[in-house]
Each structure stands twice: as structure tokens, then as C-alpha cells.
Amino acid sequence: MARDDARRATAAAASDGHSPTDAADDPRTEAELLDRAREYAATIDLDVDLDAVSWEVSRRAKRRAGAAVYHRADESVTIRLTWAAYRSFGWNEFTDVIRHELVHAWEFLEYGESGHGERFRAKADAVGASRHCPSFSVPRLQLLCTGTGCDWTVDRFKASKTVKKPEKHRCGACGSRYVVEHVDTGERWRTSRGYEGARERIGDEW
């Protein structure tokens, strides 16, 4: 649903005069993403003091595509853009995240607080932003079928029974054995003993 909201908002933005770039022109580095975000923010019809807004990229966030952090001491806002979310969505869709966080910045700078209430909704509607920031998820684990020609995969965020004891379960499409992969480290296992060994090797990176 959040992805659908983002696509609708992107389409609305285009019809309102916003012009997200073609895929060939998508930012390819964090620095390029920040530069493009600043440039794009200046085109949004929103009365927000961009001199009071700083931008940074987050590689730590796993589910939030963006965040606006208010610094009450100097009445400034930092907008954090999640690199993995940008890579997942692409620039066109990610512009909705930028518009959404800019509305938060506007609320913080105008009222010292921000939420997703009616005031936020009205301003978000005016700039073609989703009321809730598009979400994304980076799975911690993946089940990958080992059967020839089968592309069955399943994402997992916790160490479920299918993760801990893969030898007791089978691919949901063809019935073959599957391997479990820890996404961040690339560690793989096919048995409960393999899981225990991988968990020990991964340690704090789990």
C-alpha cells in the first residue's frame, strides 16, 4: 500500500509541475543524491526555510525511507535519506520521500513539532506527498531454493524455524531443499548445525 501511495504521489507531482528525472540521470552516489535532493527541494512550492535544513544519508535504517529530525536548540532540521530505500525505489519514486520529509521540516520550523495529523495532511496534499512516508524493508535473511530452474525466494526478518532448521522444510514452489542466507554477511547454511555455526561466526553483526 505504501509503495502504491508513493507511485500515486509521484504521478501527482509530475502533473503539478514537479519533474523527477529519468532513470539514466538517477544519482549514483550518496553525494549525488544529497545534491539532487537539495536541488529538488528548492523546486517544491512550500514555504520552508531551506537554509535551516541540512541533509544527510543514512545507511543504518532498515525500514524508514526518510526522517526529519528537529534540533530545538538552534531551530534547525536535519533530513535523513535512507540509501537502501533510494536504491530500492529509484529517484522518481524517492521524490515522494523528499516531499514528505520537507513537510515535516516545514511543521517543525513553523510550530516546533510535527506529526501526521490534519495540518500535515493538508500541506502534504498541497505538494503531492504521501501522508505517511513510503516504507521499505531490508530483510535480514533469505531462503533460496537450490532446485534447478526454480527462482523461489522468501525474505525473513527473524530466526524462525525455517531459518534455524532448514533441513526440516522445503521450497514452497518445487519442494526442493533450500539454503538460508544472512543478507549482510553472505553466510549460508542448510542445516540446524550450519545455522548455529553461522550465528556464532556472524556474532554482533546478526
Side-chain angles (χ1 to χ4, degrees):
M1 181 66 69
R3 296 292 292 271
D4 290 340
D5 287 345
R7 292 188 182 95
R8 286 194 292 271
T10 300
S15 66
D16 286 343
H18 303 305
S19 53
T21 60
D22 295 331
D25 296 324
D26 283 4
R28 291 178 173 80
T29 66
E30 292 182 16
E32 288 180 4
L33 176 60
L34 291 177
D35 286 343
R36 184 69 61 78
R38 292 187 191 98
E39 293 171 1
Y40 181 72
T43 71
I44 306 303
D45 187 15
L46 183 64
D47 188 18
V48 58
D49 181 7
L50 292 178
D51 289 336
V53 177
S54 59
W55 303 79
E56 61 184 40
V57 169
S58 171
R59 283 188 176 266
R60 297 174 61 94
K62 299 295 185 181
R63 294 175 183 260
R64 299 178 62 177
V69 180
Y70 183 49
H71 308 290
R72 195 173 298 278
D74 62 358
E75 296 184 335
S76 67
V77 174
T78 298
I79 292 181
R80 292 178 182 149
L81 305 176
T82 302
W83 180 250
Y86 162 67
R87 297 293 294 165
S88 175
F89 294 167
W91 172 256
N92 282 7
E93 194 167 326
F94 198 70
T95 57
D96 183 43
V97 176
I98 296 171
R99 293 192 300 276
H100 178 97
E101 300 306 338
L102 277 172
V103 176
H104 277 306
W106 168 80
E107 269 202 316
F108 278 131
L109 294 174
E110 289 291 320
Y111 303 100
E113 60 180 10
S114 184
H116 293 101
E118 292 308 311
R119 181 177 64 202
F120 181 94
R121 170 185 277 181
K123 190 62 71 172
D125 286 346
V127 298
S130 297
R131 184 177 186 183
H132 295 285
C133 189
S135 62
F136 83 107
S137 296
V138 177
R140 176 177 294 170
L141 307 147
Q142 284 189 315
L143 314 184
L144 308 168
C145 181
T146 60
T148 302
C150 183
D151 59 1
W152 178 87
T153 65
V154 175
D155 294 341
R156 288 287 182 267
F157 295 90
K158 297 181 180 180
S160 62
K161 291 180 181 179
T162 56
V163 169
K164 293 179 178 179
K165 300 180 178 181
E167 71 272 21
K168 295 183 178 292
H169 305 274
R170 293 292 184 271
C171 165
C174 72
S176 298
R177 295 284 301 276
Y178 62 82
V179 63
V180 184
E181 179 178 295
H182 184 263
V183 174
D184 283 351
T185 63
E187 287 277 356
R188 289 187 170 193
W189 60 92
R190 298 170 183 252
T191 65
S192 55
R193 180 172 293 182
Y195 162 75
E196 292 169 1
R199 186 70 185 260
E200 183 176 347
R201 288 191 298 275
I202 294 169
D204 292 341
E205 294 184 53
W206 181 263

